Amino acid sequence: MFVCTTFLIVYLFPKSGKFKYNFEKGKPWQSENLYAPFDFAIKKAEDEINSEKRSIESQAPLYFDEDETVKVNALDAYDIAFSNTFSDSLPRATLNKLKSAGKDVLENLYTLGLLSDTYTFGDDRIVEILSGNVKKRNTVYENLIEQEDLKSFIERKLSSEGLNTYASKFTSIFFDIVEPNLTYNKSFTEKALQDELNKISYTRGSVERGTLIISKGEVVEGDKFQKLKSLQSEYESQVWNEANYNWILFAYTLLVALALLMLLLFLRKYRIEVFDNNTKVTFIFFNVLLMVFITTLVVNYNSEYLYVVPLCMLPLVLKAFFDARLGMFTHVITVLLLGSIVPNSYEYMFLQILAGIVTILTVSELYKRANLFISVGQITLIYIVAYFAFFVIHEGSIETINWNTFLLFILCGLATLFVQPLIYAYEKMFGLVSDVSLLELSDTNTKLLKELSNVSPGTFHHSLNVANLAEASANEIGANAMLVRVGALYHDIGKMVNPNYFTENQSTGINPHDELSSKESARIITDHVINGIEIARKNNLPDRVIDFIRTHHGTSVVYYFYMKAKEMDKDIDSDLFRYPGPKPFSKETAILMMCDSVEAASKSLKNPTSTKIDAFVENIINKQIDEEQFLNANITFKEIQSIKKVLKHKLANIYHLRIEYPE
């Protein structure tokens, strides 16, 4: 898992060198004097290149195709149309003058060119007229005639010839015979423009190896800034890195392996139960890999959207399934991994670690929807405040602040709310259980608990009492109260197999154990643990809940039947009357063992007093300690004393005698 995750993360990372200096325009150079490590060209600034492109685009010629047959056809049609329009009653000299004037208008019209469509080009744009893809002549766009200007052009030409009287007749003739002779050649124009754009030089000058680029304390601006950007680009370009590709790959692998190794060592030292569980380790590594994958996708697409990635979902998810400390440690490791691929890495890492800390500190009881919304609001606020502070430090003012970045933080907060359905999906995929699922299981209307209340009502009531005691005890020592409550509700479901063999369900006064030997009775009693595990698995209860069924009696002895058998045979083996175990191996399972034993035995108290209850609780729990039942649980003597105190207080309240009401 470690090796596979390492190589997958390295595969996602960009395979390029990284410039080892951080610099910002307008800020002093903090490092030592920088000399050129090799020859490199000075790249033009992006604004300068864009300006050149705009200049070329505005001055690039437009190309129009001319159809020469249109003019010939129009002149032929003109002779016929003229004869049909003007009567022979006019003097021949006048007719000849009019006909010649009309031809001049047509000649002039087609010499300038009549457009086939209306365009929005500037009047001063150069136009090249093509005839069969060969340049014929050039002009400017304002000299070309658009169809909507045709009437005014004809009237203007006739007026100059003094033929205003015949303008309407000529207009009708021309509108019948005139056709456009110029068509915009878009593909030729774009090809010619692209040829000009390709001629743009993206560099200006060069820097030789060993040349001083910038001195310590100098302000990074102007030409120095451009030289630094050019050097950085050379470091990160694929061309420069081809010879060093394997070294860069090896270095990335080392860094990623070290980070993941720290995570594994943390699990081995502080979370050994997680380290020993392949599913849980896979789950943690999968989440780290998922966050790296999403962030890499965003960086490759557009790094401006980097803060949309809801990285705080990682500590939220891990806290839901494990604990806050593991969630925070994994979040920091992930942020360190991402620091090598994101721009402005220090700012990014500062913001994300700060947000992760806020996530861990503010989100409690994730199953409560209001808590999640409040926490997401606080995370978003921290993002905005921290980013604002960084921007002011870098720029010195807020005049040029990009308010759209704040919108990205809000979108990140909204995306974080997706953690609830994500947790549900993870539960199904990895077989884990969160507090949300525990809340659902704690509902006494679930199918299994309803069946328990119908089949074994006494056991169900006992489980409710144990759940209340265990929850109060867990809250007292800071254990998982929701988990121990659910464990208490289900710990005795195995008694549904033979409910009448347990005293809390014997309502008729008949005890079936009277007809059995002590060994048989003990076997039925101890079997409720095995039966409970089988019922739990059939009903798909989580393993964390089944652990309570397995451990709530530990390896203790069914003392009543053991002593009864010992009266018959003093040498009888106590292991025949012992529960199969294992012993409790967590604070929560240890709490349940104490509460279960105390609650069950408390039913035998006669005339309970405060002194009796205190001695009773001390006796039962001390006996469990003497039998080393808590040896595998990470619970301290101080915590056990606190649990004793809670149990004594609760039992005193339960058995508090009310005043006797008169009949």
Side-chain angles (χ1 to χ4, degrees):
M1 180 60 60
F2 168 75
V3 172
C4 288
T5 307
T6 299
F7 282 113
L8 282 172
I9 291 176
V10 172
Y11 175 77
L12 292 172
F13 276 9
K15 312 301 185 301
S16 62
K18 190 171 178 67
F19 197 47
K20 62 181 178 180
Y21 301 103
N22 288 319
F23 61 92
E24 293 181 50
K25 191 174 183 179
K27 298 292 185 291
W29 179 255
Q30 300 294 336
S31 304
E32 297 298 324
N33 295 354
L34 178 62
Y35 296 89
F38 46 79
D39 297 341
F40 65 92
I42 303 173
K43 294 189 176 183
K44 293 178 181 177
E46 189 175 346
D47 292 342
E48 187 178 351
I49 293 172
N50 290 336
S51 177
E52 288 185 29
K53 286 182 178 179
R54 287 193 296 270
S55 176
I56 290 173
E57 289 169 355
S58 64
Q59 296 174 12
L62 304 170
Y63 290 87
F64 285 83
D65 291 320
E66 182 182 40
D67 188 351
E68 295 180 346
T69 61
V70 172
K71 178 181 176 181
V72 175
N73 294 336
L75 288 172
D76 292 341
Y78 171 74
D79 291 335
I80 299 170
F82 183 85
S83 299
N84 295 334
T85 304
F86 290 91
S87 65
D88 294 337
S89 60
L90 291 171
R92 182 171 295 278
T94 303
L95 285 173
N96 290 336
K97 182 181 179 182
L98 290 174
K99 189 173 184 178
S100 177
K103 279 191 176 182
D104 289 342
V105 172
L106 278 177
E107 291 280 359
N108 197 264
L109 173 66
Y110 284 116
T111 299
L112 293 174
L114 178 61
L115 296 171
S116 61
D117 205 347
T118 303
Y119 304 98
T120 57
F121 302 120
D123 289 343
D124 58 344
R125 290 290 294 274
I126 297 172
V127 173
E128 296 283 353
I129 307 299
L130 303 175
S131 178
N133 284 340
V134 177
K135 292 182 183 178
K136 185 177 179 182
R137 69 181 188 277
N138 61 8
T139 181
V140 291
Y141 185 75
E142 66 176 344
N143 290 338
L144 304 182
I145 301 168
E146 295 180 345
Q147 293 192 45
E148 60 188 24
D149 298 328
L150 179 59
K151 184 178 180 181
S152 61
F153 173 80
I154 295 170
E155 291 174 346
R156 190 167 61 253
K157 288 296 180 183
L158 292 173
S159 176
S160 65
E161 296 288 338
L163 300 174
N164 290 340
T165 309
Y166 304 99
S168 60
K169 289 186 177 182
F170 274 111
T171 301
S172 64
I173 291 173
F174 291 145
F175 269 88
D176 287 338
I177 66 172
V178 167
E179 295 290 338
N181 69 329
L182 294 183
T183 306
Y184 177 53
N185 192 328
K186 185 178 180 182
S187 61
F188 201 98
T189 302
E190 290 180 349
K191 183 178 182 301
L193 174 60
Q194 192 59 49
D195 290 341
E196 290 299 316
L197 291 175
N198 290 339
K199 294 177 183 177
I200 293 176
S201 174
Y202 288 82
T203 61
R204 49 176 177 80
S206 61
V207 177
E208 294 183 0
R209 180 177 181 178
T211 305
L212 177 65
I213 298 175
I214 192 169
S215 302
K216 184 175 182 179
E218 279 192 85
V219 177
V220 179
E221 59 184 359
D223 192 51
K224 295 186 184 298
F225 175 74
Q226 208 53 45
K227 287 180 180 178
L228 287 171
K229 291 293 289 183
S230 301
L231 180 59
Q232 182 183 31
S233 178
E234 286 295 320
Y235 263 102
E236 296 175 353
S237 69
Q238 186 64 38
V239 176
W240 188 83
N241 282 309
E242 282 177 359
N244 308 300
Y245 180 82
N246 291 332
W247 280 110
I248 291 170
L249 205 63
F250 176 70
Y252 267 130
T253 305
L254 280 181
L255 287 178
V256 174
L258 282 174
L260 294 180
L261 182 62
M262 294 305 105
L263 180 56
L264 281 178
L265 290 175
F266 174 86
L267 293 175
R268 191 174 187 277
K269 185 171 179 63
Y270 298 106
R271 299 292 182 272
I272 190 65
E273 72 281 359
V274 176
F275 182 81
D276 289 336
N277 189 312
N278 288 338
T279 301
K280 292 179 179 178
V281 176
T282 303
F283 174 72
I284 295 169
F285 277 29
F286 173 79
N287 276 278
V288 172
L289 185 62
L290 179 65
M291 287 302 164
V292 173
F293 174 69
I294 295 173
T295 306
T296 307
L297 282 182
V298 173
V299 169
N300 290 337
Y301 174 70
N302 190 339
S303 60
E304 291 181 3
Y305 300 123
L306 183 62
Y307 288 110
V308 173
V309 180
L311 202 63
C312 287
M313 286 176 67
L314 180 62
L316 272 175
V317 167
L318 295 180
K319 185 179 179 182
F321 288 111
F322 305 110
D323 60 87
R325 191 176 178 188
L326 175 56
M328 188 67 235
F329 192 89
T330 308
H331 178 71
V332 170
I333 291 293
T334 307
V335 172
L336 290 175
L337 286 172
L338 294 174
S340 59
I341 65 168
V342 298
N344 300 323
S345 55
Y346 173 73
E347 177 183 319
Y348 175 84
M349 291 166 67
F350 186 93
L351 259 65
Q352 295 295 2
I353 290 176
L354 204 63
I357 293 171
V358 172
T359 303
I360 292 298
L361 294 178
T362 58
V363 177
S364 58
E365 298 176 325
L366 191 61
Y367 56 86
K368 294 182 179 178
R369 288 171 295 180
N371 287 359
L372 180 60
F373 279 96
I374 293 169
S375 180
V376 166
Q378 292 171 332
I379 293 166
T380 305
L381 181 63
I382 289 296
Y383 271 131
I384 291 173
V385 171
Y387 174 79
F388 177 81
F390 267 109
F391 187 87
V392 172
I393 290 171
H394 292 161
E395 300 296 328
S397 68
I398 61 170
E399 294 177 1
T400 58
I401 195 167
N402 186 2
W403 298 103
N404 289 335
T405 307
F406 295 140
L407 178 61
L408 297 181
F409 290 132
I410 294 172
L411 291 175
C412 176
L414 294 175
T416 306
L417 295 174
F418 186 70
V419 71
Q420 285 283 22
L422 185 64
I423 287 173
Y424 177 78
Y426 279 152
E427 287 178 335
K428 301 304 179 185
M429 288 169 60
F430 292 92
L432 301 172
V433 60
S434 68
D435 286 350
V436 180
S437 293
L438 292 176
L439 180 65
E440 294 173 356
L441 289 171
S442 67
D443 183 5
T444 53
N445 289 315
T446 59
K447 180 183 176 182
L448 193 55
L449 290 181
K450 269 191 171 183
E451 185 180 354
L452 178 65
S453 66
N454 292 330
V455 176
S456 309
T459 300
F460 178 72
H461 185 261
H462 159 72
S463 298
L464 286 176
N465 289 338
V466 174
N468 292 331
L469 293 175
E471 185 177 18
S473 301
N475 284 325
E476 182 68 21
I477 66 170
N480 190 331
M482 178 63 71
L483 177 61
V484 76
R485 179 175 181 83
V486 172
L489 289 173
Y490 291 91
H491 78 285
D492 268 346
I493 56 175
K495 291 182 179 180
M496 288 192 293
V497 176
N498 294 301
N500 294 327
Y501 285 86
F502 300 90
T503 54
E504 66 266 25
N505 299 312
Q506 294 171 359
S507 57
T508 60
I510 300 173
N511 190 345
H513 288 289
D514 293 341
E515 300 176 2
L516 300 174
S517 67
S518 298
K519 288 182 182 179
E520 290 174 321
S521 294
R523 182 181 55 77
I524 292 173
I525 297 297
T526 56
D527 277 353
H528 87 273
V529 172
I530 304 299
N531 294 333
I533 294 171
E534 290 177 357
I535 293 171
R537 294 206 183 281
K538 286 180 183 177
N539 287 271
N540 297 317
L541 289 185
D543 287 339
R544 290 175 75 186
V545 177
I546 295 175
D547 287 341
F548 287 91
I549 301 174
R550 294 166 56 216
T551 61
H552 74 278
H553 284 295
T555 57
S556 60
V557 173
V558 185
Y559 196 69
Y560 176 81
F561 290 110
Y562 172 62
M563 294 305 295
K564 191 175 179 182
K566 202 171 182 180
E567 292 175 0
M568 307 291 294
D569 182 2
K570 290 184 179 181
D571 298 326
I572 195 166
D573 187 1
S574 63
D575 289 341
L576 297 173
F577 299 85
R578 195 176 297 278
Y579 283 97
K583 296 176 181 178
F585 46 78
S586 67
K587 285 183 182 180
E588 288 77 15
T589 50
I591 289 171
L592 178 61
M593 172 179 265
M594 289 184 253
C595 295
D596 180 45
S597 300
V598 167
E599 202 285 332
S602 68
K603 303 299 182 184
S604 63
L605 280 175
K606 296 178 180 178
N607 301 320
T609 62
S610 179
T611 305
K612 278 187 178 181
I613 289 172
D614 289 357
F616 164 77
V617 171
E618 289 285 346
N619 182 48
I620 288 179
I621 296 179
N622 286 342
K623 184 180 178 183
Q624 290 173 339
I625 294 172
D626 292 341
E627 292 177 354
E628 299 182 341
Q629 294 297 326
F630 307 131
L631 203 61
N632 299 330
N634 57 335
I635 192 166
T636 64
F637 283 115
K638 182 179 180 180
E639 288 169 337
I640 292 174
Q641 287 302 118
S642 299
I643 292 169
K644 286 180 181 178
K645 184 178 177 182
V646 170
L647 293 176
K648 291 172 184 177
H649 176 71
K650 289 289 183 182
L651 288 176
N653 289 335
I654 291 171
Y655 291 106
H656 175 67
L657 297 176
R658 295 175 180 268
I659 60 170
E660 187 176 347
Y661 288 95
E663 294 182 5

